[in-house]
Amino acid sequence: MSVVGKDIAHEAAATHVSGESLFLDDLPPLHGELTAAIVPCPVAHGRLKRIDVEAARRLPGVAAILLAADVGKHNLFGPVVKDEALIVEDEAAFLGQPLALIAARDAASLDAARKAIVVEVEPLPATFTIDEAIAAKQFFGSVRQMARGDVDAGFAEADLTLEGAFEIGGQEHFYLESQIAIAVPGERGVMTVHSSTQHPSEVQAMVAEVLDVDFNHVTCICQRMGGGFGGKETQAAQPAMYAALLAKKTNRPVRFAYDKDDDMRFTGKRHPFKTWWRAGFKRDGRATAIELKLFANGGCSTDLSFAVLERAMLHSDNAYYLPNARIEGRVCKTNLPSNTAFRGFGGPQGVATIENVMSEIALALKMDAIEVRRANVYGVHERNVTHYGQRVTLPSAAAAPRLNPTDEAAHGNGHADAEIARPSLEREEGTNERETLLSSAPRVKEDGERRAGTHQANGVADTSLPPATRASQADKGLEHGNPLPFLLDTLRRECDYDARRLDLEAFNAQSKTHLRGMALSAVKFGISFTRRTLNQANALVNIYTDGSVLVTTGATEMGQGVHTRIRQVVSDALGVRYEKVRVGATNTDKNNNTSPTAASTGTDLNGAAAQDACDRLRGRLAEVAATMLASADAGLTAETTQIAFADGVVFDRRAPDRAIAFEAVVARAYELRVSLGERGHYATPGVDFNRDTGKGTPFLYYTNGVACAEVSVDRFTGEMTNERVDLIMDVGVPLNPGIDRGQVIGGFIQGMGWCTTEELVYKPDGTLLSHSPTTYKIPNVSDLPRIFNVRFLDNPHNTVSLKRSKAVGEPPLLLGLSVWLAAKDAVSYASIEGARGLALPATGERLLAALSAKPVDVGGVGRSPRRVRESSVLAGGDRKP
Amino acid sequence: MRNHVLFYINGEAAHVTGDDAFLSLSDFLRRRRHLTGTKVVCAEGDCGSCSVLIGRPGGDALRYVAVTSCIQRVFQLDGAHVVTVEGLRDGEQLSPIQASMTKCHGAQCGFCTPGFVVALHQMAEQKIEPTRENACRALVGNLCRCTGYDAILRAATETNYAAVTPLAKKYNSAEMRSELAAAVGEDVLLETPTHRIYKPATLVQALKFRAETPHATIVAGATDWGVLINKRVREITSVIALCDVRELRGIHVDDETIHVGATATLAELERVSLEALPALGEFTKYFGSPPIKAAATLAGNLATGSPIGDSLPALMALGATITLASHSRPNGGRRSAPLDAFYTGYRQSVMRPDELIVSIEIPRLRDGETLKLYKVSKRKDLDISSVSAAIFLRQDGDTIADARIALGGVGPTVTRVAAAEDAIRGGGVQLDRFERAATIVRSTVKPISDVRGSADYRRALAGNLILKCFHDLASPEPAIGGVR
């Protein structure tokens, strides 16, 4: 029985709930292990005049203190540009930058050492905000541009033009497990680093560089993280480097763990943005020209800021066709810890920018914003090319055949060519082995459409589908790869948007104490790393002589369930029972040169690589099994192409009753000296992007979704209540619906937090005041919408990805914006001015200020402008009975 | 006088002496017992990841509540049975709650999961009906960053609680019960070269020690002090732990008054006042979180005297009094201090260095009396207020015969605003009177700007809450929820 597509529990769930899962700080100390800490710089920008560590060095229990001079030539580090000092040499760039590293036998000795270190830092003028950085002309890199059409002509054509500035706040990752690494020195310069990281290969490389050894001397291992969300993509490296340097110096194991306060104070966050926008549009709401200037607050060093900015620019269209667009972007340099990857990676800021513009257009036209969104949404057959030149529809017919498995690849006799790996990404192979299985083993057929056989990706109607389904799917635009208009219309109808809008207006007219607001927004999120090189993965699949299977890939497990999904894929690919497959810790000894588990691609890339390895293993085993199953009595010759693997047995399709155990085939293969290990590789085909021209096809496909949020806002306090959310997500055919649902809801709520209660508050000197859960408020269970309807779009057309699935990690986060847009809508009933100026997040304080932007009539007799045109209500009058 | 801490962990006795008695319970469990299922995230009680169940003698079986182990010190556990997540399994099998969490995808990264499992087991222990709403209330003390909670709520509501083994049955040891019951009645004194803890069993002993060591820190639930220790704001030196002083326990209600013992927890106050003073009971739901309220005391909330303490405005508006006792006065002589004259400055009070709070007297509402309570915070639950307000009115027919307005978060202490009270007093529930009161409030209060809001925001809020109160009194609207 196939396990792909099944609602299987997270593979570590049982030990998570029993408390037995081991996170790094749960490992007992190794013999002689030291604990480590930094000496944080007390000012955000300053010149280090003096640091005296001699007294501290002499304290009992202190094993080592390292200064910049001890690090040597590799003190500067960075994942892209080496522009951040691991330990301050002379000029400190942010508050908390290490002035020294300490290793000691226990926490008390660390404290004593810190107190004994004499530090003198001369404060220098510091820059924290985007406005300050722009004024001081402090930037990283040059202005980035993307453009399409004739923007000036677009503005000339417009009936109305609007402009404004929009502030978007940062966000603390608040992974529950703070950054941690344990470095264990070995002989001859070898270092093993256990790290809570999304990117073991980068930790390996950075540790090797700072230790000045070849990469092959450093192993990085990650069993799991207690959450990552992007915060452990590049910035897990610093704790690993601290621990490794101290381990090398002392030749003892060293553990470095931030506590939550220091982690929040000293590590990077989601980039705050400020965007200046100008929009020209027709009276029907259609945008004719969009001009955006995006500024990202990069913090003190480059980190991933260029890529974050790029993704923001690539998502500044979101679901909307911008015929004439000019988008500029710039990264600002400030004295904050370097801002970094965070789920969505610039996408949320780009999408927030354009969604805000859509709402502003609606406010200006006194239209319901849903009409403006519908008027601008990407089309299926036209208006379907992004400002960077990629079609939002599925890849052309020319690309599709290469992505479909051939019999050869499916059965492992062929090998991937040099450029494009060809694992059998399809759930059903051309020979339809599973359908054959149906006849021999009773099985619940769960979804006719999904199971109906191979679909074509080339835009030709899928003849395997029943005619009725075909017709309805053509209407949905699904088979062309753009379900956005269909999703908007469907959710509008399903959530009873128009009737509720009338109710809401009546409520707002009468209530003296509360205002309601509602917004329906979409997301179109591009899947692939925008840096082409990263779109590759490798996997190692070992079959042991007892028939058990161990798979390792570059994918790191942070709760998202990538190991579960890979286990499902491998289980199906080898036809072995799920219990027989184990996914091992991510380990650079086993999988080299891996990409970060990021950009939502963990399963897409690593699952495909594992599939590739399994395909070839199965090919070899099929040859062995064919011989074993050949039988003169049954009239069967050894025919490799007829061999099938399922449910732990291997059989010849022509005589399925004569199945032999997988273990027996494995044992025989071992006797015959057939290799039982395989390394798979996958490289995403066809993605590319030219930074200079701002054009290309950076994404393999898009994951889409829509959400409608309704909120109420207290007119006296600005407190917001999330009344209802309806959400439809297009994740193709989910590999694991339960896990995907968890990603959708978890992402949505995390996005909602960014938009509402999560506010980073600093003192004027740059000290972060919101540095723990007491002061930084992520959503609580009681912040869930009172009514919360979540479902998947049934979309079997994504043939370019593993098993027709779609990546799900980041996209749902962007739907959290619907809550912010609903708050903006609510405010507009009291004050259009207040709504126009609303920043993100919409905290209670901001909402109250916005409500008061024009005198709030608490007597309740005031009336906001009527916002829904009668015609639009009637047009959408598809009301439920 | 016992010189070690005696408690049980997952059914096994623990005798702790020396420095280990001053460790946080979470560190003790993780580092000394290698029970690493208990996770530490914030070390300030605000995420629930370190939750454990604590059973204390009461009746014929131990009664278990969840607390955050990061802000409990080992010595506070004297006489208790600690059950960690590792102790919740049914032998080799997952408990029905654990199984449900697994099946419903209630765990993603797994770091917060043990805390949620503990919180759900507390629901089972307290036989809370597992509706979504109740589960939500029971889980507000636990933060999760991965799941968005929906799956956890589903697990909470789909568990077959009838199949959950009660802890009293799972750990049914008469020896443990009697040993713990005996321990509660004993004085404990523990000294190391740097730390000293005294845990008296009687008020006489407590007052004596208090008089002898006026600088000793007084703790009961220690939910505030525990944070200060963890964050290195304070150091442990000399401590007097009142948790087991028998005269200070419990809440007693008579026709006029709720008498709250100094070690009665906010959870007890919530339970009792839901019956005896529903306005306060409903409001108490939004204090802290269940694991905090299971440890924190009302007396502690009042004694720390924070201007953003949740209970202060309500009790001040109600006219509560604090009963203080001292060894130096005859018979442990008591005196009564009205709460609105208790505070003399930021976290300063009239309490003398030899005094202890023994109880708090809260007048119940009589006919014609109304109490409106407001707490505005960035997040609805498990947050500290930006501004809080309590408005007490006594109406005589249509006339407001008496009014008390107490505000928190707008100055160094929680404070009454007499001029605003005067504006309301003597008239009906009229908008112009409340508007005048709001104006007076706005011009009277002296808030500061901090992480929880700007001074302007707080000033606006303080006035608006008076207006909100008017609307709540004049035309109470139905709850906002219930989208059709």
Side-chain angles (χ1 to χ4, degrees), chain A residues 791-866:
Chain A
R791 75 170 182 92
F792 294 124
L793 176 72
D794 188 10
N795 178 8
H797 294 284
N798 192 42
T799 51
V800 296
S801 179
L802 185 66
K803 313 275 181 190
R804 295 170 186 263
S805 66
K806 285 193 176 189
V808 65
E810 293 164 292
L813 182 139
L814 288 77
L815 290 175
L817 276 163
S818 61
V819 178
W820 183 85
L821 294 163
K824 182 170 171 124
D825 184 58
V827 170
S828 74
Y829 285 91
S831 167
I832 298 283
E833 274 314 298
R836 287 208 60 192
L838 189 65
L840 186 158
T843 58
E845 176 165 4
R846 286 204 171 123
L847 286 172
L848 187 64
L851 289 170
S852 321
K854 195 172 72 176
V856 181
D857 185 358
V858 291
V861 283
R863 182 69 188 92
S864 62
R866 182 147 187 86

Side-chain angles (χ1 to χ4, degrees), chain A residues 112-363:
Chain A
R114 259 191 297 225
K115 282 184 188 138
I117 292 174
V118 181
V119 170
E120 207 179 301
V121 186
E122 177 196 332
L124 297 170
T127 306
F128 302 110
T129 67
I130 287 169
D131 286 334
E132 288 166 2
I134 291 171
K137 297 190 172 57
Q138 290 180 187
F139 301 106
F140 291 109
S142 53
V143 177
R144 291 285 304 276
Q145 285 184 319
M146 293 179 196
R148 188 246 302 270
D150 184 336
V151 175
D152 295 335
F155 279 115
E157 189 195 333
D159 294 333
L160 279 154
T161 299
L162 274 181
E163 61 182 26
F166 179 41
E167 293 205 48
I168 303 170
Q171 186 179 23
E172 159 62 35
H173 300 86
F174 208 85
Y175 31 70
L176 291 200
E177 180 204 36
S178 297
Q179 303 270 12
I180 178 169
I182 302 171
V184 185
E187 60 177 42
R188 290 180 291 162
V190 163
M191 187 69 71
T192 302
V193 180
H194 299 268
S195 168
S196 178
T197 176
Q198 293 171 243
H199 199 350
S201 285
E202 189 166 277
V203 168
Q204 174 199 25
M206 288 208 179
V207 166
E209 280 174 12
V210 80
L211 298 181
D212 204 16
V213 296
D214 290 341
F215 288 10
N216 61 9
H217 283 53
V218 176
T219 301
C220 178
I221 303 168
C222 176
Q223 173 66 52
R224 64 168 56 85
M225 283 162 273
F229 313 115
K232 296 172 181 172
E233 182 174 343
T234 62
Q235 301 203 356
Q238 286 95 315
M241 288 189 282
Y242 303 154
L245 280 166
L246 291 163
K248 181 185 176 188
K249 175 76 178 177
T250 58
N251 201 30
R252 288 164 70 171
V254 173
R255 184 176 306 209
F256 183 96
Y258 270 128
D259 64 29
K260 186 45 76 192
D261 299 64
D262 284 353
D263 188 303
M264 290 178 75
R265 276 194 283 244
F266 303 153
T267 68
K269 316 200 179 305
R270 185 189 296 287
H271 290 67
F273 269 58
K274 185 164 183 182
T275 63
W276 278 266
W277 58 271
R278 193 165 161 240
F281 46 96
K282 306 297 271 184
R283 292 202 184 281
D284 65 0
R286 220 150 28 100
T288 54
I290 296 284
E291 199 175 4
L292 305 174
K293 288 185 166 63
L294 279 61
F295 288 86
N297 189 335
C300 71
S301 67
T302 306
D303 193 87
L304 297 172
S305 294
F306 293 144
V308 169
L309 176 70
E310 181 173 275
R311 186 168 280 267
M313 295 169 74
L314 289 168
H315 284 75
S316 289
D317 57 339
N318 191 26
Y320 312 110
Y321 176 72
L322 311 178
N324 304 294
R326 184 160 56 222
I327 301 167
E328 288 183 6
R330 196 105 203 241
V331 179
C332 296
K333 182 179 180 182
T334 60
N335 296 107
L336 292 173
S338 197
N339 284 321
T340 191
F342 192 146
R343 200 175 191 175
F345 201 78
Q349 294 96 322
V351 168
T353 298
I354 194 68
E355 288 291 357
N356 181 54
V357 170
M358 291 294 149
S359 287
E360 295 281 344
I361 292 173
L363 286 176

Side-chain angles (χ1 to χ4, degrees), chain A residues 312-441:
Chain A
M313 295 169 74
L314 289 168
H315 284 75
S316 289
D317 57 339
N318 191 26
Y320 312 110
Y321 176 72
L322 311 178
N324 304 294
R326 184 160 56 222
I327 301 167
E328 288 183 6
R330 196 105 203 241
V331 179
C332 296
K333 182 179 180 182
T334 60
N335 296 107
L336 292 173
S338 197
N339 284 321
T340 191
F342 192 146
R343 200 175 191 175
F345 201 78
Q349 294 96 322
V351 168
T353 298
I354 194 68
E355 288 291 357
N356 181 54
V357 170
M358 291 294 149
S359 287
E360 295 281 344
I361 292 173
L363 286 176
L365 293 171
K366 297 191 173 11
M367 281 170 71
D368 190 323
I370 197 172
E371 304 295 352
V372 177
R373 294 196 164 84
R374 191 61 180 82
N376 287 289
V377 73
Y378 276 112
V380 175
H381 301 292
E382 49 175 15
R383 294 166 60 88
N384 61 3
V385 178
T386 63
H387 57 289
Y388 47 89
Q390 176 159 0
R391 285 185 180 279
V392 300
T393 47
L394 279 169
S396 67
R402 294 202 304 172
L403 302 169
N404 281 324
T406 60
D407 280 340
E408 191 182 56
H411 292 97
N413 293 331
H415 196 286
D417 65 51
E419 172 61 20
I420 299 167
R422 293 181 298 180
S424 51
L425 297 177
E426 281 294 324
R427 218 163 273 231
E428 267 77 42
E429 274 90 57
T431 49
N432 224 340
E433 165 183 308
R434 298 271 173 253
E435 293 305 312
T436 311
L437 262 179
L438 268 178
S439 58
S440 60

